[in-house]
Amino acid sequence: MTTNNSSFSKVLPVLFGFFIMGFVDFIGTAINYVKIDFALNDTMANLLSLSCFFWFLVLSIPTGLIMNKIGRKNAVLLSFIFTFAGLLLPFFGYNFTLVIVAFALIGIGNTIIQVALNPLVSNVVAKEKLTGSLTMGQFIKALCSWLGPNVAAWFAASSLGWKYAFPVFAMVTLVAAIWLWVTRISEDDREKKTTSFASTFALLKDSKILLYFIGILILVGVDVGLNATMPKYLLEKCPEDITTVSQADQYKSYFYFIVRALGAFVGGILLMKIPERKFYLVSALLTMTGLILILFTGSLWTILASVVLIALGYSNMFAIIFSQALKHIPEKANEISSLLIMGVAGGIFALLLGVVSDAFGTQWAAMAIVTVMWLYIVWLIKPISK
């Protein structure tokens, strides 16, 4: 990273890319609306998450290879093009097939941006500020995640319909693309090098990289699972307090995404001063406590209190694991980024949760599986502490 790159005018458009990255969380909100619009069961509705998160599995490493040729900034700009197209599609034609195609385009765009944006941050901030900067990026992403359900709920309550949220998000994506495009960012020529699938997958032979990869897989699986399941869980457990999907989605946005945003903002500051291993320990245990409590409480406000604990603990986990991996082998930042983002395919676990909830006839079963999945993140405390 060159000193010339370290300026506020260069950091801002890069960090704003995390806002566009947050549109992938809108998939969880959209699933619940599409389920009602097309009278789908949980299995079919969660199939939409597969159409989005499948691309993280197959395109992450190819994106890393492309990024080595065209550069990190150009890869992020390419992601904006796919995201823009996916967000406009449902507005021009709303049927189940086109929704799947739209979510696939959003998934492709989000795969590219998640592979390219995290290492691009390292081009505009100092190494010692990387973890804090990535956490601030997660804060910006969480703001978008909070706005998504609320914008959709506002349109749903109007005469227009919830899907009018899509063109609004498309215009924001266009602004982000133009802003980054006109910003000059220097990239080290050594970052543009020839790699292969084999050399990227070979990184999994490093025990730490393997643990971090599985950690990202679980983190995203838990997040997408909570995003898709929580509104339905609230409707199931508190029918006297919550009667519509929009209402349940707003509760989720306020008590999950806003708290996550605040947690990431505070975490971005604290991680500049507090050792990451200590922060990770507290975060992992806090989320575990919330997940256990949510399974064994029945009132609306105790459930929401549990959601707050979950969100606070979760808010900084992705940035911590990701930065640990990037700093472990910094000269392989592009390859590590593409490998770890392949773990975002963990969002496919939402399909499994839909199958389980249909099989048992209750959303409690899906929440129980999410809790079991989090045990790996707790187990990861020891390796990260070392």
Side-chain angles (χ1 to χ4, degrees):
M1 185 193 74
T2 64
T3 304
N4 186 48
N5 261 358
S6 297
S7 70
F8 204 53
S9 63
K10 297 178 187 295
V11 173
L12 279 180
V14 173
L15 289 182
F16 189 66
F18 284 93
F19 192 88
I20 309 305
M21 188 190 295
F23 288 146
V24 74
D25 290 326
F26 184 60
I27 298 298
T29 294
I31 285 173
N32 293 310
Y33 284 106
V34 172
K35 178 184 177 182
I36 294 173
D37 291 346
F38 299 108
L40 306 173
N41 60 22
D42 283 328
T43 302
M44 286 301 296
N46 285 3
L47 182 64
L48 291 168
S49 67
L50 177 63
S51 72
C52 177
F53 290 99
F54 168 76
W55 302 104
F56 288 95
L57 184 64
V58 301
L59 288 183
S60 292
I61 291 179
T63 296
L65 303 183
I66 293 172
M67 182 169 64
N68 283 333
K69 294 181 180 296
I70 69 174
R72 296 166 179 176
K73 175 184 168 181
N74 287 335
V76 173
L77 290 172
L78 180 63
S79 77
F80 289 153
I81 295 173
F82 280 101
T83 303
F84 181 76
L87 288 168
L88 278 184
L89 194 57
F91 180 69
F92 291 108
Y94 186 59
N95 59 61
F96 187 66
T97 301
L98 282 180
V99 169
I100 289 180
V101 174
F103 286 9
L105 289 172
I106 293 171
I108 292 171
N110 213 264
T111 300
I112 298 172
I113 196 171
Q114 294 216 37
V115 170
L117 191 59
N118 288 294
L120 183 61
V121 172
S122 68
N123 284 108
V124 295
V125 301
K127 181 180 178 181
E128 62 272 13
K129 295 182 178 180
L130 180 59
T131 301
S133 299
L134 290 179
T135 302
M136 291 302 293
Q138 291 301 308
F139 161 67
I140 296 170
K141 178 177 181 287
L143 282 180
C144 177
S145 301
W146 165 70
L147 280 172
N150 287 282
V151 172
W154 186 87
F155 277 113
S158 71
S159 59
L160 296 173
W162 75 274
K163 64 181 179 291
Y164 272 76
F166 282 102
V168 173
F169 297 151
M171 291 304 103
V172 176
T173 303
L174 183 60
V175 170
I178 295 172
W179 192 8
L180 183 62
W181 179 53
V182 299
T183 302
R184 298 189 64 179
I185 298 174
S186 299
E187 297 182 44
D188 194 322
D189 289 337
R190 288 173 298 177
E191 293 163 358
K192 299 179 181 180
K193 54 187 179 299
T194 302
T195 57
S196 64
F197 279 89
S199 63
T200 302
F201 277 113
L203 290 170
L204 290 175
K205 294 179 181 178
D206 186 298
S207 60
K208 284 191 175 181
I209 298 299
L210 177 61
L211 291 176
Y212 297 149
F213 170 76
I214 298 173
I216 295 293
L217 197 71
I218 298 298
L219 275 180
V220 177
V222 167
D223 184 38
V224 176
L226 287 171
N227 197 5
T229 304
M230 204 178 297
K232 294 177 286 186
Y233 187 73
L234 287 170
L235 283 167
E236 178 182 295
K237 298 287 285 186
C238 312
E240 68 283 356
D241 298 306
I242 300 176
T243 57
T244 66
V245 169
S246 294
Q247 189 181 9
D249 229 26
Q250 285 184 302
Y251 271 109
K252 177 191 73 177
S253 69
Y254 283 113
F255 288 89
Y256 183 61
F257 286 124
I258 282 188
V259 174
R260 263 185 59 183
L262 292 173
F265 178 76
V266 175
I269 297 171
L270 294 178
L271 280 166
M272 302 288 188
K273 304 175 181 179
I274 299 175
E276 295 169 16
R277 61 185 184 276
K278 293 182 179 179
F279 210 97
Y280 183 92
L281 184 150
V282 173
S283 298
L285 295 180
L286 200 60
T287 296
M288 191 76 240
T289 302
L291 287 169
I292 292 172
L293 287 176
I294 205 171
L295 291 176
F296 300 103
T297 187
S299 71
L300 174 62
W301 291 107
T302 50
I303 289 176
L304 294 177
S306 301
V307 171
V308 168
L309 293 178
I310 294 169
L312 279 175
Y314 188 95
S315 58
N316 298 286
M317 302 298 279
F318 188 94
I320 292 175
I321 291 179
F322 211 99
S323 64
Q324 286 286 309
L326 290 180
K327 288 188 286 188
H328 180 56
I329 313 178
E331 67 275 12
K332 296 284 187 178
N334 285 4
E335 291 86 345
I336 289 173
S337 180
S338 62
L339 191 63
L340 292 187
I341 294 303
M342 189 169 71
V344 178
I348 294 173
F349 283 129
L351 180 61
L352 169 64
L353 300 182
V355 172
V356 169
S357 59
D358 281 337
F360 287 89
T362 174
Q363 300 298 325
W364 189 94
M367 293 298 291
I369 288 183
V370 168
T371 304
V372 171
M373 289 168 62
W374 192 259
L375 288 173
Y376 176 84
I377 302 300
V378 174
W379 176 84
L380 204 57
I381 289 173
K382 187 174 181 180
I384 284 186
S385 294
K386 292 181 178 179

